Each structure stands twice: as structure tokens, then as C-alpha cells.
Amino acid sequence: MISLKTLLKTPRFSDLHLLTNPKMLNDQIMESVEITETPDVEKYIPKNVLILSTGMVFKDNQQGFIPFIDSLIRAEAIGLGIKVGRFLNQIDEEVIAYANKVNFPLLVIPDHFPLGSLLHQIMNLILETEREEIDFALDIQKRFSDLLVQDASNSLLVGDLSRMIKTPIILLDPFHQIISHSQHFKNHKDKAEYYVDSVFEERKKTQRNHGSFLVTEPDGSKTHLSLVKIQVHTYFPHYLIIVDPEQVPFPTSVFAIEQAALVFQFNLYKNQKVDESLYANEAHFFNDLIDSQVNNTLDSTNWFKVSRNYGYIQTDYYRVVHIHSKDMLDEKNNAYTLKANEKLFLSYRWLRKNLQHYFENAIVVWRAEDREIVLILQEEDTDLSEKLLEIAQKIDDLINNQLTFSVGYPVSKWDQIEQSYTQAKLAHNERQNKENAEPVIFYRDKGADQLFNDLDHNEIVYFCKSVLKELAYPEEDSLIDLRITLDTYLKNQSEITQTANDLFIHRNTVKYRINRCEEILGVKVDAPDDSLNIRLALQLSKDN
């Protein structure tokens, strides 16, 4: 395909003269040419068309060109060529000034150019260009397909495409991180990173997901960058950045670049599927571990020989963190959307690549069937919560995915990892019953009250109220003080002095409050059976 700017540089059309500012010419593709002598064509012409005219209808009133130009702009025409010498000797300066004001190209066609012949020549050029571009695009596809069959790396594909189109290119992952770039950036990686940051900043300003963007260099000059989507994932594509696409030599075209992007798509998809087979093996080993199958078949020595292939090390510290996302927690009836699942999987991919920056010797496992990420820490970290929150913020900034972290207790032996995982999963399950749970929660051993996990909420409330009466869910300050005193008293094994010290009150106040509690409850709080029920009710009513 050809642009108006390219047309005017073609020798056979050197007699065509541009009346308006050359700076308004861009690389917008000219798709067709039409001749008209009537101004009412707005609704009857295609987009990206060059209009040719003798201007006959405006010979006595060139001011009529102004609304005609407005109508062509609305129709998304690419420009207007006016033949002079027959009906018009020249174009009025007011018309030219208006065209400059509205950024619409005006051309003068000399008298010796018959409009019919000019239309025919331009259309031949457009069609000839399209044929050459299609041939070139198919050549790119064949060459790249051969490389694909030969299992070429992304770096090789990037280098080959860059040489073919003679301009720098950069390949990005869905997080806008550089996968590979052409040799132009070999000693200037910061330059590549600058282009990446700049083009996505411009994308944010313009509200366009892809296409051409003009970015400002550090020295103030302007560079044209083209952002091409590579759709490996449905919602979060990879990208190609092509630097100075207007410098790409003929007959390279948008179609040719799209063919190259298609080959990148196949290669990236193939690589991802290869990686997923590795993820599945790691998940299978972890599944065996938490199902105790490995524990029963291997001793410690043999286990470490096998497990080191999956990143496990011999240590006295293992801790499991269950990772999920708020999007999936919000889905009802486990009907996870494709987008939510894609976000979680990409979060895993990012963690796998960047985890070493946060935790040494940590392992991350993708459990596809359960749609969850499992993080296994193999070294104690006093900044665990802060680092998890930092990871959460990074992922949220990149793909708008709010991760949740549920942390089990640390264990000292490899065959106890299953316990830490179970605790992390219980903490995660408890999170689902809370509307505004924190991003990072730690498993808390509930002791005997965990036996009540499967009971209906209303049954638990009934039990607490029947045992504690007004002390079950008090709102008055006096009743709240009584409940706190009773709870502290029982935890201190009915020691009045210790209870007084803990609450900073007098011993007589403790005695008075305990007597008052017994009046309300109707039982002796030290009686073994009653004491057990009271302790359970106090604990259960805290969480219900």
C-alpha cells in the first residue's frame, strides 16, 4: 500500500504540487482514488480516498471549497487534488489557508494531466504496490515459518526480522518487559527500555492500545514508534515495537509486519506450551508431596536427590504461602472468567521470573486444576509480609490483578510441608467468608473451636447466647468489661491476682466482676463442665 507522502515522492508524479504544509503529510495509507465534480459526495465515498476534481462547480465562488473540504474530512478522505488551467487558473489563498488550518492536504494538478489518466496511473501504483507487498509478506512468512520449524529462538526471529526490514525492533512480554531486542540495542539496553516506557506512556495519553506513536527523545527530538500486538493471550498480548517504521523500505507493509507478528505468535505459544509441561511436572511432584505419596516411598536421602530437580533444598525451614486473586474470590459459584484465570496464570509467570529478587531458594508452583499458586519458602524471612505486599502492588500495577496471600506455619522437615500447605489453604478458605480480608493473612490455630468449623453460623450464635447470655455479644461498656474480665480470669486459671495485674484493676474489682458474671450466667464459672462451655462460647463469639 502507498501513502500520499510516498506518492508525491514518486518520479512519475513529480508534477503534482502540494499547496498545504508538507508537515501534515503522514503515513496514512491511500486505498483508492475517485474523480468528482459535485460537492455532495460525503456519503458516497470510501475512507482513505484521494479525491480528484477540476473544481468546475466552484469556478465563480472558490469559498465553496471550504464546506467541501469539511465534508471530505468527515468522510475521512486523505486529500483533494484540484486541476488548474481549465476552470480555475489558481487556488485562492483563503482556501489554502483554511486547508492548512484544518490539516487537510490540497494538491494542484497541472493542466496537461487528464484526470482519467491520473486516476488510472495512481490506481495502478496502488495495486502494483499491494501485489509487491503481498509477495514480500508471503516471503517473510515462509522464511519465518522455516525458522519456526527449525525451533528458532525469539532472539533469532527478532534479529532476522530486524535485518529484513532494516530497522530496530523490540519484543515484549505482557508485562511490557523486554524478551529480546535487535542488535541495535546490544550496547544500549537503556535506550530500548526508554522506548518501551515512552511508547506505553504515550499509549496511556492517547487511549489507543496499539498503532503508531510519536515519542520525545532525551535530546528533545521526536522518534516514531509502532506498537504491534501479538495475541498469545486473550486479554494481555505480547508486543513488537518497531522503531522508525516510516523508514522501513518498500515493499515492506503493514501486512508484512502482521505476517511476522503471526510467526512470533506461533513461536511464543509453542514456547509457552513447552513451559506448561514443565509446570505440570512440578505441580505433579508437589501433589504427591502433599498427598504423602512421596513420604511413604522415599527416605530423606533419596527425597533430596529427586526433589532438587524441582528446586527443593535441604533445610530446617519450609513455609507454604497460598496465592490467589481477589477477582477469583469475587466470582460466584466458582464460575471463573477467562480473564481472571489469565491474570492469575500471568501472575505466576511473573513470579517465576522475578521471585529471586524477593526470596532466595523459594519455589513457586502452578496448580492449574485448582487455579492456585503455591509459594514454598525455604529460608526464614523477617520481612515476609512487606515483601508479599510489594509483590502484590507490582502485579496490580502491571495487570490490575489483586493477589491474596494466605500463609501457613513454618515447619522444620520436608515431610511436614503438607501441614503448612493445609494451614495456608485453611486460612484461604476462611478468607472467603470475610468481605474485607487483608491481602496477607496468617493461619491462626483455633484449637478446640476448630471442631465447630462445619456448624451452621446460626447454631453457633445460639450456643454462645445460651451459655453467655448478655455477655455473648455485649454492646454496653459495663457488660464488655465483665466479659473481658471473665475471659482473662479463665485464661489465668482462675488466678485473681494475675487477672488484676493483667487488667490493671484491684483484686476486689475482679472478685466483684466474677460474682456479677456468675449472677448473669447462672452457674459457677470455675465448675469444670460449665467452665469448658464458657471458654468455648467466649472463643466462638469472638469470630461470629
Side-chain angles (χ1 to χ4, degrees):
M1 294 184 180
I2 192 168
S3 66
L4 186 56
K5 182 166 66 174
T6 304
L7 176 74
L8 294 175
K9 292 179 180 179
T10 305
R12 77 177 86 162
F13 301 108
S14 60
D15 288 343
L16 300 181
H17 176 59
L18 181 67
L19 292 175
T20 46
N21 192 335
K23 292 183 178 179
M24 71 174 60
L25 295 179
N26 55 36
D27 296 312
Q28 185 177 0
I29 300 302
M30 180 169 52
E31 297 179 0
S32 63
V33 186
E34 290 195 12
I35 298 173
T36 183
E37 297 299 349
T38 60
D40 187 20
V41 295
E42 176 183 347
K43 297 181 180 179
Y44 307 103
I45 57 175
K47 294 180 180 180
N48 302 321
V49 60
L50 175 64
I51 296 295
L52 307 180
S53 176
T54 64
M56 175 180 64
V57 70
F58 305 118
K59 67 178 180 177
D60 297 322
N61 179 23
Q62 289 200 30
Q63 289 294 313
F65 273 119
I66 292 177
F68 182 49
I69 289 172
D70 289 337
S71 71
L72 294 180
I73 291 173
R74 290 193 296 270
E76 299 183 43
I78 203 167
L80 171 62
I82 306 171
K83 182 176 179 178
V84 295
R86 184 177 179 188
F87 298 106
L88 304 173
N89 292 324
Q90 61 181 20
I91 308 303
D92 288 352
E93 290 297 328
E94 290 183 39
V95 176
I96 298 172
Y98 184 77
N100 273 317
K101 179 182 176 182
V102 295
N103 291 318
F104 188 74
L106 285 185
L107 309 178
V108 167
I109 304 170
D111 187 43
H112 67 269
F113 251 127
L115 291 188
S117 297
L118 181 59
L119 180 145
H120 182 71
Q121 291 177 26
I122 295 176
M123 283 304 301
N124 279 345
L125 180 62
I126 292 173
L127 295 174
E128 178 185 353
T129 303
E130 287 180 346
R131 282 195 298 270
E132 290 187 46
E133 288 177 341
I134 290 172
D135 289 341
F136 185 74
L138 293 176
D139 184 55
I140 283 183
Q141 186 186 50
K142 182 180 185 305
R143 184 167 174 176
F144 272 49
S145 297
D146 290 341
L147 290 172
L148 195 62
V149 171
Q150 296 167 20
D151 200 25
S153 66
N154 288 314
S155 296
L156 184 59
L157 292 175
V158 165
D160 207 54
L161 177 61
S162 177
R163 285 189 292 273
M164 291 179 73
I165 66 176
K166 297 179 175 60
T167 195
I169 65 173
I170 305 167
L171 178 64
L172 305 176
D173 67 14
F175 299 102
H176 310 161
Q177 295 178 335
I178 297 174
I179 296 175
S180 183
H181 54 66
S182 58
Q183 289 295 311
H184 303 82
F185 302 106
K186 183 177 181 181
N187 299 317
H188 305 283
K189 188 177 180 182
D190 55 337
K191 182 81 168 180
E193 292 171 346
Y194 178 81
Y195 281 152
V196 173
D197 293 340
S198 298
V199 77
F200 283 102
E201 185 64 31
E202 286 299 316
R203 190 183 76 157
K204 188 185 301 183
K205 291 178 184 177
T206 59
Q207 299 294 310
R208 289 186 290 117
N209 290 326
H210 60 281
S212 297
F213 300 89
L214 199 63
V215 303
T216 304
E217 297 275 10
D219 63 3
S221 61
K222 300 288 187 179
T223 298
H224 189 192
L225 302 177
S226 183
L227 190 64
V228 181
K229 288 201 298 185
I230 303 174
Q231 211 74 44
V232 179
H233 302 284
T234 304
Y235 295 96
F236 300 94
H238 291 64
Y239 291 96
L240 271 181
I241 292 179
I242 302 172
V243 183
D244 289 326
E246 72 275 9
Q247 301 300 322
V248 174
F250 178 83
T252 308
S253 65
V254 174
F255 182 46
I257 298 300
E258 287 176 349
Q259 292 304 301
L262 185 62
V263 175
F264 275 109
Q265 180 183 22
F266 288 146
N267 201 49
L268 289 165
Y269 184 78
K270 179 200 69 174
N271 291 344
Q272 179 172 299
K273 289 304 174 183
V274 171
D275 289 342
E276 286 178 13
S277 66
L278 173 62
Y279 307 158
N281 288 337
E282 294 170 347
H284 182 71
F285 183 82
F286 180 78
N287 292 343
D288 287 347
L289 181 63
I290 62 176
D291 289 341
S292 301
Q293 294 181 23
V294 175
N295 308 27
N296 297 331
T297 56
L298 295 175
D299 57 26
S300 294
T301 302
N302 291 329
W303 184 82
F304 284 116
K305 287 181 180 179
V306 175
S307 65
R308 65 187 179 189
N309 296 324
Y310 301 98
Y312 295 84
I313 63 172
Q314 190 166 1
T315 178
D316 60 357
Y317 185 93
Y318 300 98
R319 192 170 201 175
V320 174
V321 181
H322 178 280
I323 303 176
H324 211 52
S325 70
K326 192 174 184 301
D327 281 356
M328 298 190 110
L329 286 172
D330 291 342
E331 297 291 343
K332 295 181 179 180
N333 301 321
N334 292 329
Y336 304 129
T337 64
L338 175 62
K339 187 172 185 179
N341 197 54
E342 193 171 294
K343 281 185 179 183
L344 190 64
F345 176 67
L346 286 174
S347 299
Y348 163 75
R349 297 266 292 188
W350 186 91
L351 279 168
R352 190 179 183 91
K353 184 176 180 180
N354 297 280
L355 191 60
Q356 70 276 9
H357 301 311
Y358 298 90
F359 304 107
E360 286 191 42
N361 296 316
I363 303 168
V364 61
V365 177
W366 169 246
R367 303 190 74 207
E369 292 183 2
D370 295 302
R371 294 184 178 88
E372 65 182 23
I373 303 170
V374 176
L375 171 62
I376 305 165
L377 304 174
Q378 300 187 101
E379 289 186 15
E380 187 173 4
D381 196 308
T382 55
D383 298 324
L384 177 57
S385 290
E386 290 77 9
K387 289 183 178 179
L388 292 177
L389 288 173
E390 187 178 339
I391 290 171
Q393 186 62 57
K394 185 67 175 178
I395 294 292
D396 195 19
D397 290 342
L398 289 170
I399 58 172
N400 190 29
N401 190 29
Q402 299 177 28
L403 293 182
T404 63
F405 304 88
S406 307
V407 187
Y409 284 161
V411 295
S412 58
K413 298 179 180 179
W414 64 269
D415 54 3
Q416 297 172 332
I417 291 176
E418 179 269 336
Q419 297 175 22
S420 185
Y421 169 75
T422 300
Q423 293 163 353
K425 196 65 183 285
L426 286 171
H428 168 71
N429 293 340
E430 184 178 343
R431 175 195 298 280
Q432 294 177 302
N433 298 322
K434 297 181 179 179
E435 290 187 4
N436 297 308
E438 294 295 321
V440 181
I441 61 173
F442 291 79
Y443 171 76
R444 180 169 60 87
D445 191 350
K446 295 183 178 180
D449 62 316
Q450 190 162 326
L451 298 172
F452 294 82
N453 275 349
D454 295 329
L455 286 182
D456 181 76
H457 172 77
N458 293 329
E459 293 179 3
I460 293 176
V461 171
Y462 174 78
F463 170 74
C464 293
K465 287 184 175 180
S466 64
V467 173
L468 297 178
K469 309 294 193 299
E470 299 103 298
L471 300 182
Y473 305 100
E475 295 182 0
E476 297 178 14
D477 291 343
S478 59
L479 292 177
I480 292 173
D481 289 340
L482 288 177
R483 178 188 167 103
I484 292 173
T485 303
L486 176 61
D487 189 33
T488 307
Y489 178 75
L490 292 175
K491 286 180 179 177
N492 286 324
Q493 308 301 319
S494 303
E495 285 287 339
I496 293 176
T497 301
Q498 185 60 48
T499 302
N501 291 338
D502 288 348
L503 298 177
F504 301 102
I505 57 178
H506 196 275
R507 294 178 76 258
N508 290 339
T509 303
V510 175
K511 291 179 181 179
Y512 168 78
R513 289 182 179 177
I514 295 302
N515 288 335
R516 183 77 183 94
C517 288
E518 290 179 340
E519 290 176 7
I520 293 173
L521 303 180
V523 296
K524 290 292 184 181
V525 299
D526 292 329
D529 290 342
D530 293 325
S531 177
L532 176 60
N533 285 334
I534 292 170
R535 288 170 187 265
L536 285 174
L538 285 169
Q539 182 60 44
L540 289 171
S541 57
K542 288 179 182 178
D543 301 322
N544 291 277

